[in-house]
Amino acid sequence: MNAPPETPSPVELRPVPGSGGRTRSGSARIDAIDALRGLVIALMVLDHTRDFFHRTAFTADPLALDSGDPVLFLTRWITHLCAPTFVFLAGLSVWLQKASGKTPAELSRFLLTRGLWLIILEFTVIGLGFNFGWWLFAQVIWAIGLGLILLAGLHRLPPFSLAALGLVILVGQGVLASVPATAFGVAEPLWRMLAIPGPASTALGFLLVAYPAIPWLGIVLLGYGLGGALTDARGLKKRRVLLTAGGCILVFAIGRGLNLDGFDPRPWTVQDSPLWTLFAVINTSKYPPSAAYGLITLGLALLLLAGLDRWGHRVAAGLRVLGRTSLFTYLIHIWLAHGLALAVGVATGVPASAFLNTISDPGRLIAQGWGFGHLGVYVAWAVVMAILFPLSLWFDRVKRDRRDRWLGYL
């Protein structure tokens, strides 16, 4: 019996020659995807290292257009690529699993358990690592987790319809933001987790929502829905990847250039110099992701994906290691960066207690004058990466040598 149109043939995708073969979930391994995921892991480590080490991390907006500090602006802005890329590739990876022959029932079961596992990690290991104290922090792992749970049912629909739905969510999510969370009364925390970022009090403690799930679901659906358009048995359909990237950037340039209503909640204005005017144009809303933000970041991510498809030297090989162990590396880097900050702080006379509840209550660190300039941040990033990479390399070898089922969840 032929497979339905929305279900790719199990033989459509095969391991790409020269790649890592297949993922543990059975989907074809495409080196460029691993390398791109590894690149944004490295950028994400920079972003979080800056959070723990920069002297103004808790007192100033790094994207402020009046700071006069282009290095700080670019250090923060380049890391905007991380979350959309992770979320988009999460959706694309689901399509690859389905295209590689996983049955609808098997895929739904995996997505449900994987999504629940990610949510558990977000509100325990990850939140504690960021804060060194109990709180509830809804970040990108929460958004991906709920996206996978919803995709456990939605993947049975035609991919094109899910791509269209994802685009509608990305463009129209501003409608959700127009409904104040306080209008929901005791359900305010739930509405925040779904639609509007911000703080809320819950029976389990203080909740900070940075990544409401519905807006990011749009990017998950785009990744899944475009999977067949961007990949095939040979790996990437590079021409389509480039065309999609160019289309995203072109639409961004037109919509953002004209300050179209609803494109981004912060219209850009001319600044004192051409450089800062450019910064104003690209300084789009991430919380929640606007259409402008989604288009420019996904456009750049797809350009990088096409470039990495032909990049075969040792740096790309290292990025692939990080990409193949992305969740493990993500979990480790938080505790490593925060722990390194604590160690350096204690060595320079800052009480260890100041590093507890670091993000929910940074006042003690601010009072101590903690932090370094750009050089100190980049040195700390290099140290974290130097410790992190051997751990990722070790775990990559473990995953290649062992077939324990639980390894598929890391």
Side-chain angles (χ1 to χ4, degrees):
M1 182 176 181
N2 292 330
E6 68 271 19
T7 305
S9 166
V11 298
E12 181 176 341
L13 284 176
R14 298 181 296 276
V16 179
S19 76
R22 290 190 179 273
T23 67
R24 298 186 65 84
S25 60
S27 60
R29 176 128 256 151
I30 299 176
D31 281 348
I33 291 177
D34 287 333
L36 178 59
R37 192 181 279 116
L39 175 61
V40 294
I41 281 281
L43 291 176
M44 178 201 60
V45 175
L46 170 61
D47 190 34
H48 295 154
T49 302
R50 182 191 60 80
D51 286 337
F52 292 126
F53 277 90
H54 196 256
R55 65 168 64 100
T56 66
F58 300 113
T59 59
D61 177 7
L63 297 175
L65 297 175
D66 59 357
S67 70
D69 190 341
V71 175
L72 179 60
F73 181 96
L74 290 173
T75 299
R76 171 57 176 150
W77 186 86
I78 193 63
T79 64
H80 274 354
L81 293 175
C82 299
T85 305
F86 281 136
V87 175
F88 184 85
L89 292 182
L92 179 59
S93 296
V94 174
W95 187 89
L96 288 171
Q97 291 181 48
K98 193 168 189 176
S100 296
K102 185 167 285 189
T103 68
E106 289 172 337
L107 186 57
S108 293
R109 186 163 51 249
F110 174 77
L111 293 176
L112 282 172
T113 55
R114 175 75 169 181
L116 286 171
W117 174 236
L118 291 179
I119 292 172
I120 290 170
L121 288 176
E122 182 75 284
F123 293 117
T124 54
V125 176
I126 296 171
L128 288 171
F130 272 110
N131 199 45
F132 278 12
W134 177 255
W135 70 332
L136 301 173
F137 195 19
Q139 282 209 108
V140 68
I141 300 299
W142 143 256
I144 293 174
L146 188 59
L148 294 183
I149 290 173
L150 295 175
L151 199 53
L154 292 174
H155 76 83
R156 296 172 185 269
L157 298 174
F160 176 79
S161 66
L162 294 185
L165 177 59
L167 185 60
V168 168
I169 292 174
L170 180 62
V171 173
Q173 57 82 27
V175 175
L176 298 174
S178 67
V179 182
T182 53
F184 291 83
V186 295
E188 176 187 347
L190 177 60
W191 182 246
R192 286 206 177 278
M193 292 181 71
L194 293 176
I196 302 177
S201 296
T202 75
L204 296 176
F206 176 73
L207 167 69
L208 179 61
V209 178
Y211 289 75
I214 293 177
W216 291 95
L217 173 64
I219 298 178
V220 173
L221 295 180
L222 281 172
Y224 176 84
L226 293 176
L230 303 180
T231 62
D232 63 13
R234 295 175 297 278
L236 294 182
K237 297 178 182 177
K238 192 174 302 181
R239 185 170 182 274
R240 291 188 180 182
V241 172
L242 289 171
L243 287 174
T244 305
C248 288
I249 294 171
L250 178 61
V251 175
F252 166 82
I254 295 172
R256 186 62 168 156
L258 297 176
N259 269 332
L260 293 181
D261 186 39
F263 203 65
D264 194 272
R266 296 181 297 193
W268 66 275
T269 57
V270 175
Q271 303 296 305
D272 293 337
S273 71
L275 177 63
W276 284 97
T277 298
L278 174 62
F279 287 173
V281 172
I282 64 175
N283 186 21
T284 52
S285 176
K286 180 181 179 181
Y287 305 105
S290 67
Y293 171 87
L295 287 167
I296 186 60
T297 53
L298 290 178
L300 293 175
L302 289 172
L303 283 179
L304 288 169
L305 181 63
L308 289 167
D309 192 47
R310 297 180 61 87
W311 197 16
H313 54 68
R314 292 183 179 180
V315 172
L319 293 178
R320 290 194 293 271
V321 169
L322 297 176
R324 289 193 297 264
T325 60
S326 56
L327 181 56
F328 171 84
T329 304
Y330 183 93
L331 296 173
I332 295 296
H333 96 276
I334 301 165
W335 290 83
L336 182 57
H338 199 168
L340 181 63
L342 186 153
V344 173
V346 170
T348 56
V350 178
S353 60
F355 290 90
L356 305 181
N357 296 302
T358 300
I359 302 179
S360 61
D361 181 22
R364 290 163 299 167
L365 279 180
I366 296 171
Q368 291 288 330
W370 164 255
F372 301 87
H374 301 316
L375 179 59
V377 170
Y378 276 86
V379 168
W381 177 44
V383 171
V384 172
M385 290 301 301
I387 300 172
L388 189 63
F389 184 77
L391 297 174
S392 301
L393 183 62
W394 165 79
F395 192 66
D396 185 43
R397 291 171 177 164
V398 170
K399 293 182 74 173
R400 286 172 177 266
D401 294 340
R402 298 179 57 174
R403 308 311 299 171
D404 306 61
R405 189 173 180 180
W406 64 270
L407 288 170
Y409 288 83
L410 284 176

